[in-house]
Amino acid sequence: MSESEHEPQRRAVALAIGLSVLVAGAAIGWASATVLTPPQDVLASTAFTTAEVVTGEVGSSIMLNTVAEWTPAPVGSNLAGGTVTTVDIAAGAEVTPGTTLYSVNLRPVVVAQGAIPAFRALTSGDTGQDVAQLQAMLTALGHYSGTVDGQFRWSTTVAVRSWQKSLGLPQDGVVQAGDIVYVPTLPTRVALDTELVSRGASLSGGEAVVQGLGASPSFFVPVTDAQASLMPTGTRVEITSPEGSAWEGFVIDRVTDENNGIRVLLSGADGAAVCADECAQVPVTGQSFLTSRIVIVESVTGLTVPSAALLSRADGSIVVIDSEGIQYPVTVVTSARGLSIIEGVDAGTRVRVPATEG
């Protein structure tokens, strides 16, 4: 092949080599620019607005109903026969030894503490645990100062006559079986079965008329599963009582009722009654629904910022950035509903908050 014929091939090869060198040079230049150019400042490039650090209050709560209800249980039976002439206690009243519950044929029926129910008339010469229970009641009322030994001697007869006089009864020294209803513990809150004991009702003896209510009603909050998740043990609940008093309860447990509903159980501080010494406000029958404030996050007063202004650094610390770009390490005291209480920056500082579109 002649020299002139080889010339076009040599020019093509030279052109290809030139183009390769140019491409390689461009690639090297791009790589150098990429490696050597400082990374973009994300904080500087992010759109933001500012908010002033001001004093405020941060907390969170929800409003629900608390249910209060007594759980009555039979604790004493009537042995008097005749017509109920008076009802002397209100439902839920706290009774002590000798309290008159009601009267039958104008004869008072009182309550006393004892494990043995009344079953016979007691008079001089009788012995037994029921006599000891009678002596204990007479002692509590100040009529008897002898030994509680279960022996119905003359001293017990004198005490019984003194007690009968205080009640306006004939002073014969004999305690009829229907005169006293014995219950397991005193003092206690009781209610009478109103279907059996009311003015004009007839009693024949043997009716379970006295219901014990315990020291206080139970308190619980009916909730959904989502609401229950907001109320861990120890959550504080502010309750408005039936008469407008302020009661305080704390979550102690969570149970499922017979209808598969969720109940969050409440107790007072240190296991005390939620209603303290005002439990008589809760009606004995049925359930009482009380307006309540469930404190999800306790309210705290301090310097507030939008929670969106808080930035977490790589070392785990939290900062805010002022309008000039200066970072301030801060301590977050509490957060709720998009606001946070912080320490470490002065009131009046304007801090950056990421801008939102729209």
PDB file of all heavy atoms in Angstrom, residues 79 117-122 126-131 175-178:
ATOM      1  N   LEU A  79     -82.742  -9.954 113.168  1.00  0.00           N
ATOM      2  CA  LEU A  79     -83.503 -10.982 113.880  1.00  0.00           C
ATOM      3  C   LEU A  79     -84.742 -10.416 114.555  1.00  0.00           C
ATOM      4  O   LEU A  79     -85.460 -11.150 115.253  1.00  0.00           O
ATOM      5  CB  LEU A  79     -82.626 -11.680 114.929  1.00  0.00           C
ATOM      6  CG  LEU A  79     -81.637 -12.730 114.404  1.00  0.00           C
ATOM      7  CD1 LEU A  79     -80.933 -13.430 115.559  1.00  0.00           C
ATOM      8  CD2 LEU A  79     -82.334 -13.757 113.536  1.00  0.00           C
ATOM      9  N   PRO A 117     -72.974 -14.180 114.911  1.00  0.00           N
ATOM     10  CA  PRO A 117     -74.235 -13.441 114.766  1.00  0.00           C
ATOM     11  C   PRO A 117     -75.121 -13.650 115.987  1.00  0.00           C
ATOM     12  O   PRO A 117     -75.016 -14.673 116.693  1.00  0.00           O
ATOM     13  CB  PRO A 117     -74.857 -14.048 113.512  1.00  0.00           C
ATOM     14  CG  PRO A 117     -74.289 -15.428 113.441  1.00  0.00           C
ATOM     15  CD  PRO A 117     -72.897 -15.328 113.977  1.00  0.00           C
ATOM     16  N   ALA A 118     -75.976 -12.682 116.262  1.00  0.00           N
ATOM     17  CA  ALA A 118     -76.940 -12.844 117.353  1.00  0.00           C
ATOM     18  C   ALA A 118     -77.865 -14.019 117.034  1.00  0.00           C
ATOM     19  O   ALA A 118     -78.333 -14.146 115.908  1.00  0.00           O
ATOM     20  CB  ALA A 118     -77.738 -11.566 117.532  1.00  0.00           C
ATOM     21  N   PHE A 119     -78.127 -14.862 118.037  1.00  0.00           N
ATOM     22  CA  PHE A 119     -78.985 -16.023 117.787  1.00  0.00           C
ATOM     23  C   PHE A 119     -79.894 -16.353 118.974  1.00  0.00           C
ATOM     24  O   PHE A 119     -80.746 -17.240 118.884  1.00  0.00           O
ATOM     25  CB  PHE A 119     -78.145 -17.263 117.461  1.00  0.00           C
ATOM     26  CG  PHE A 119     -77.228 -17.713 118.558  1.00  0.00           C
ATOM     27  CD1 PHE A 119     -77.627 -18.675 119.492  1.00  0.00           C
ATOM     28  CD2 PHE A 119     -75.953 -17.175 118.677  1.00  0.00           C
ATOM     29  CE1 PHE A 119     -76.780 -19.100 120.501  1.00  0.00           C
ATOM     30  CE2 PHE A 119     -75.090 -17.594 119.682  1.00  0.00           C
ATOM     31  CZ  PHE A 119     -75.497 -18.556 120.602  1.00  0.00           C
ATOM     32  N   ARG A 120     -79.742 -15.609 120.085  1.00  0.00           N
ATOM     33  CA  ARG A 120     -80.556 -15.884 121.268  1.00  0.00           C
ATOM     34  C   ARG A 120     -80.634 -14.606 122.105  1.00  0.00           C
ATOM     35  O   ARG A 120     -79.853 -13.678 121.946  1.00  0.00           O
ATOM     36  CB  ARG A 120     -79.949 -17.000 122.102  1.00  0.00           C
ATOM     37  CG  ARG A 120     -78.537 -16.676 122.597  1.00  0.00           C
ATOM     38  CD  ARG A 120     -77.977 -17.721 123.525  1.00  0.00           C
ATOM     39  NE  ARG A 120     -76.571 -17.440 123.908  1.00  0.00           N
ATOM     40  CZ  ARG A 120     -75.938 -18.084 124.890  1.00  0.00           C
ATOM     41  NH1 ARG A 120     -76.547 -19.029 125.595  1.00  0.00           N
ATOM     42  NH2 ARG A 120     -74.670 -17.768 125.176  1.00  0.00           N
ATOM     43  N   ALA A 121     -81.627 -14.581 123.024  1.00  0.00           N
ATOM     44  CA  ALA A 121     -81.691 -13.513 124.017  1.00  0.00           C
ATOM     45  C   ALA A 121     -80.618 -13.790 125.060  1.00  0.00           C
ATOM     46  O   ALA A 121     -80.335 -14.945 125.404  1.00  0.00           O
ATOM     47  CB  ALA A 121     -83.068 -13.467 124.673  1.00  0.00           C
ATOM     48  N   LEU A 122     -79.998 -12.721 125.563  1.00  0.00           N
ATOM     49  CA  LEU A 122     -78.940 -12.858 126.567  1.00  0.00           C
ATOM     50  C   LEU A 122     -79.406 -12.254 127.886  1.00  0.00           C
ATOM     51  O   LEU A 122     -79.931 -11.134 127.929  1.00  0.00           O
ATOM     52  CB  LEU A 122     -77.665 -12.143 126.088  1.00  0.00           C
ATOM     53  CG  LEU A 122     -77.001 -12.712 124.835  1.00  0.00           C
ATOM     54  CD1 LEU A 122     -75.792 -11.859 124.443  1.00  0.00           C
ATOM     55  CD2 LEU A 122     -76.584 -14.167 125.054  1.00  0.00           C
ATOM     56  N   ASP A 126     -75.922 -16.390 131.446  1.00  0.00           N
ATOM     57  CA  ASP A 126     -75.466 -16.906 130.145  1.00  0.00           C
ATOM     58  C   ASP A 126     -73.944 -16.754 130.020  1.00  0.00           C
ATOM     59  O   ASP A 126     -73.335 -15.847 130.596  1.00  0.00           O
ATOM     60  CB  ASP A 126     -76.146 -16.164 128.994  1.00  0.00           C
ATOM     61  CG  ASP A 126     -77.617 -16.513 128.858  1.00  0.00           C
ATOM     62  OD1 ASP A 126     -78.006 -17.620 129.273  1.00  0.00           O
ATOM     63  OD2 ASP A 126     -78.384 -15.666 128.336  1.00  0.00           O
ATOM     64  N   THR A 127     -73.356 -17.643 129.226  1.00  0.00           N
ATOM     65  CA  THR A 127     -71.921 -17.568 128.926  1.00  0.00           C
ATOM     66  C   THR A 127     -71.716 -17.840 127.430  1.00  0.00           C
ATOM     67  O   THR A 127     -72.565 -18.450 126.774  1.00  0.00           O
ATOM     68  CB  THR A 127     -71.111 -18.600 129.726  1.00  0.00           C
ATOM     69  OG1 THR A 127     -71.542 -19.922 129.366  1.00  0.00           O
ATOM     70  CG2 THR A 127     -71.283 -18.403 131.222  1.00  0.00           C
ATOM     71  N   GLY A 128     -70.586 -17.364 126.921  1.00  0.00           N
ATOM     72  CA  GLY A 128     -70.273 -17.655 125.528  1.00  0.00           C
ATOM     73  C   GLY A 128     -69.656 -16.462 124.805  1.00  0.00           C
ATOM     74  O   GLY A 128     -69.564 -15.352 125.339  1.00  0.00           O
ATOM     75  N   GLN A 129     -69.256 -16.696 123.566  1.00  0.00           N
ATOM     76  CA  GLN A 129     -68.642 -15.653 122.765  1.00  0.00           C
ATOM     77  C   GLN A 129     -69.603 -14.513 122.488  1.00  0.00           C
ATOM     78  O   GLN A 129     -69.197 -13.351 122.409  1.00  0.00           O
ATOM     79  CB  GLN A 129     -68.136 -16.244 121.440  1.00  0.00           C
ATOM     80  CG  GLN A 129     -67.442 -15.255 120.523  1.00  0.00           C
ATOM     81  CD  GLN A 129     -66.203 -14.619 121.138  1.00  0.00           C
ATOM     82  OE1 GLN A 129     -65.489 -15.289 121.894  1.00  0.00           O
ATOM     83  NE2 GLN A 129     -65.957 -13.351 120.846  1.00  0.00           N
ATOM     84  N   ASP A 130     -70.886 -14.830 122.334  1.00  0.00           N
ATOM     85  CA  ASP A 130     -71.852 -13.757 122.080  1.00  0.00           C
ATOM     86  C   ASP A 130     -71.970 -12.830 123.289  1.00  0.00           C
ATOM     87  O   ASP A 130     -72.183 -11.628 123.141  1.00  0.00           O
ATOM     88  CB  ASP A 130     -73.213 -14.320 121.676  1.00  0.00           C
ATOM     89  CG  ASP A 130     -73.755 -15.357 122.651  1.00  0.00           C
ATOM     90  OD1 ASP A 130     -72.978 -15.855 123.495  1.00  0.00           O
ATOM     91  OD2 ASP A 130     -74.956 -15.685 122.552  1.00  0.00           O
ATOM     92  N   VAL A 131     -71.812 -13.379 124.494  1.00  0.00           N
ATOM     93  CA  VAL A 131     -71.807 -12.538 125.700  1.00  0.00           C
ATOM     94  C   VAL A 131     -70.574 -11.632 125.702  1.00  0.00           C
ATOM     95  O   VAL A 131     -70.653 -10.442 126.025  1.00  0.00           O
ATOM     96  CB  VAL A 131     -71.835 -13.398 126.980  1.00  0.00           C
ATOM     97  CG1 VAL A 131     -71.708 -12.509 128.225  1.00  0.00           C
ATOM     98  CG2 VAL A 131     -73.122 -14.209 127.053  1.00  0.00           C
ATOM     99  N   VAL A 175     -81.096  -8.691 126.870  1.00  0.00           N
ATOM    100  CA  VAL A 175     -80.826  -8.251 125.500  1.00  0.00           C
ATOM    101  C   VAL A 175     -81.507  -9.238 124.555  1.00  0.00           C
ATOM    102  O   VAL A 175     -81.143 -10.421 124.503  1.00  0.00           O
ATOM    103  CB  VAL A 175     -79.311  -8.202 125.215  1.00  0.00           C
ATOM    104  CG1 VAL A 175     -79.054  -7.745 123.775  1.00  0.00           C
ATOM    105  CG2 VAL A 175     -78.609  -7.272 126.196  1.00  0.00           C
ATOM    106  N   GLN A 176     -82.489  -8.742 123.796  1.00  0.00           N
ATOM    107  CA  GLN A 176     -83.196  -9.608 122.871  1.00  0.00           C
ATOM    108  C   GLN A 176     -82.319  -9.911 121.645  1.00  0.00           C
ATOM    109  O   GLN A 176     -81.418  -9.152 121.283  1.00  0.00           O
ATOM    110  CB  GLN A 176     -84.506  -8.953 122.427  1.00  0.00           C
ATOM    111  CG  GLN A 176     -85.472  -8.657 123.565  1.00  0.00           C
ATOM    112  CD  GLN A 176     -85.923  -9.928 124.274  1.00  0.00           C
ATOM    113  OE1 GLN A 176     -86.051 -11.007 123.665  1.00  0.00           O
ATOM    114  NE2 GLN A 176     -86.150  -9.830 125.587  1.00  0.00           N
ATOM    115  N   ALA A 177     -82.590 -11.040 120.990  1.00  0.00           N
ATOM    116  CA  ALA A 177     -81.777 -11.461 119.836  1.00  0.00           C
ATOM    117  C   ALA A 177     -81.811 -10.423 118.721  1.00  0.00           C
ATOM    118  O   ALA A 177     -80.827 -10.241 117.992  1.00  0.00           O
ATOM    119  CB  ALA A 177     -82.272 -12.807 119.316  1.00  0.00           C
ATOM    120  N   GLY A 178     -82.953  -9.711 118.584  1.00  0.00           N
ATOM    121  CA  GLY A 178     -83.077  -8.736 117.509  1.00  0.00           C
ATOM    122  C   GLY A 178     -82.553  -7.350 117.852  1.00  0.00           C
ATOM    123  O   GLY A 178     -82.620  -6.447 117.016  1.00  0.00           O
TER     124      GLY A 178
END
